[in-house]
Amino acid sequence: MEKSVMVLIILILTLIFTGFLSLFLGTFPMSPKDVIDTILGENVSDTYNTVIYDIRLPRILFAIIVGSGLSVAGAVYQSTFKNPLVSPYILGTSSGSAFGAALAILLNQNIYIIQISAFIFGIMATLIAYLLAREKGRLSILSLVICGVIVNSFFQALLGITKYFADTESQLPSIIFWIMGSFSGVDWDSWVVLAIIIVGISILCAMRWHLNVMSMSDEEARSLGIDIDKSRKIIIFMATLITASAVSVVGIVGWVGLVIPHISRLIVGVDNTKVIPTSILLGGIFLLITDDLARTITTGEVPIGILTSFVGAPFFAYLYHVQKKAIVC
């Protein structure tokens, strides 16, 4: 059996096992028997049903889908921009979404308005970067990165102004907690976001062979019959849509889209037809485990962005050290 197929099988089984195990974890204690009886319908306790179906199950699904989405977005960005240090937030999506959420919190809006505002401003930030970088109908990758940095700085400034005017007793803590990321507020009412992310992942997965062609020069790609500009626009749009959707619901979750694609390449090589599916599964597993830690290591809720940074930064430093050593050798 091919190595990549074996890896996918192992990751799928690991994801299923981790997802099932996550049903047991939380501040409300439930034994494996309680969980199994509730799933099989043999336990009629309203409390158990609420904990499993209304709290833990949507949280598990969101962690898996968001982790998969951010990972695949990071993988396609790195391949498209031909830069291993690119993350899903490179075009200002996160800062735009953060400002949108902070603005809605400042105006005392409910959670759904906050999510919609974050999504709209996240897309808007990326669109501004795209329009600034576009020149005579062509899109330069270098120009897009530079414009992304400009837009990111601009929305960071707007976010700073918003925090300055926020009430320090209620609004400012809410803004800061949202920016650090959490799955505590997800429920089935946000199913539209899940659907958008799943569609985006599916399209990027279907286009993964385009990424291999795009790793060549634009002239070589066109000689193979690929409309490089059209493919690049679709890929960037889908990755941005996934990122904005994820950030609008759970806040900013860093390092997932940067680290997971690197791990995938270490496991299956640089072929994007293998890297993309591996990143999808690895990202889901990583963020699910991280969220399990976020809701169990203390009696409160640890922002998941803190944990992903705590795990991701040292691991990325290790990857850099290993790759630098390999180059020197």
Side-chain angles (χ1 to χ4, degrees):
M1 183 181 295
E2 189 178 351
K3 178 186 175 181
S4 60
V5 176
M6 180 64 73
V7 169
L8 290 179
I9 293 174
I10 293 173
L11 290 177
I12 290 172
L13 294 176
T14 303
L15 182 60
I16 294 172
F17 174 76
T18 307
F20 183 67
L21 184 64
S22 299
L23 290 172
F24 309 145
L25 304 176
T27 55
F28 183 81
M30 292 185 70
S31 67
K33 185 179 184 303
D34 292 332
V35 173
I36 294 172
D37 287 346
T38 302
I39 293 174
L40 295 178
E42 297 178 4
N43 192 334
V44 294
S45 170
D46 290 338
T47 302
Y48 286 174
N49 283 325
T50 299
V51 170
I52 292 294
Y53 292 111
D54 295 337
I55 299 176
R56 292 185 183 171
L57 190 56
R59 184 161 182 157
I60 289 169
L61 289 177
F62 266 91
I64 292 172
I65 300 303
V66 169
S68 299
L70 291 177
S71 298
V72 73
V76 300
Y77 270 139
Q78 289 169 11
S79 181
T80 302
F81 289 85
K82 301 176 184 177
N83 188 333
L85 298 179
V86 168
S87 76
Y89 305 135
I90 187 65
L91 299 182
T93 309
S94 61
S95 57
S97 293
F99 169 70
L103 182 63
I105 293 172
L106 187 65
L107 298 175
N108 295 310
Q109 300 299 318
N110 62 41
I111 184 62
Y112 301 111
I113 299 299
I114 293 172
Q115 292 175 359
I116 293 171
S117 178
F119 177 80
I120 291 174
F121 276 95
I123 295 293
M124 184 186 300
T126 306
L127 182 61
I128 292 172
Y130 171 81
L131 292 176
L132 289 174
R134 198 162 178 260
E135 185 178 354
K136 296 180 180 179
R138 303 296 294 274
L139 185 65
S140 167
I141 292 299
L142 178 59
S143 297
L144 190 57
V145 172
I146 293 173
C147 292
V149 172
I150 294 171
V151 171
N152 183 69
S153 299
F154 176 73
F155 277 100
Q156 284 289 348
L158 291 178
L159 176 61
I161 294 173
T162 306
K163 289 194 289 186
Y164 178 79
F165 286 105
D167 179 72
T168 56
E169 296 296 327
S170 58
Q171 295 174 334
L172 186 58
S174 297
I175 292 172
I176 293 174
F177 186 80
W178 188 92
I179 291 173
M180 290 191 293
S182 174
F183 286 93
S184 60
V186 301
D187 54 36
W188 293 118
D189 290 337
S190 300
W191 65 268
V192 174
V193 175
L194 276 184
I196 292 173
I197 296 175
I198 291 172
V199 170
I201 291 173
S202 301
I203 292 174
L204 291 178
C205 194
M207 294 185 66
R208 62 190 185 275
W209 65 275
H210 284 247
L211 294 169
N212 286 339
V213 178
M214 290 169 63
S215 64
M216 309 174 184
S217 66
D218 289 3
E219 291 74 18
E220 289 177 311
R222 292 190 182 95
S223 68
L224 294 174
I226 300 296
D227 188 338
I228 192 73
D229 294 323
K230 181 179 179 181
S231 296
R232 188 175 288 154
K233 290 175 184 177
I234 293 174
I235 288 170
I236 291 175
F237 175 75
M238 286 300 158
T240 300
L241 192 64
I242 290 172
T243 304
S245 300
V247 174
S248 70
V249 175
V250 301
I252 300 173
V253 182
W255 291 97
V256 179
L258 181 60
V259 173
I260 297 300
H262 282 274
I263 299 175
S264 300
R265 294 187 190 98
L266 288 176
I267 296 173
V268 298
V270 297
D271 184 356
N272 283 295
T273 60
K274 299 174 183 177
V275 170
I276 298 301
T278 305
S279 296
I280 290 171
L281 294 170
L282 266 180
I285 294 169
F286 173 74
L287 203 54
L288 179 57
I289 293 175
T290 306
D291 184 53
D292 288 341
L293 292 174
R295 57 193 176 96
T296 55
I297 59 177
T298 67
T299 54
E301 178 84 18
V302 179
I304 196 167
I306 293 177
L307 293 180
T308 55
S309 298
F310 185 77
V311 174
F315 191 82
F316 193 75
Y318 168 75
L319 287 178
Y320 171 74
H321 175 73
V322 171
Q323 292 181 353
K324 183 175 70 172
K325 186 176 179 180
I327 291 173
V328 172
C329 294

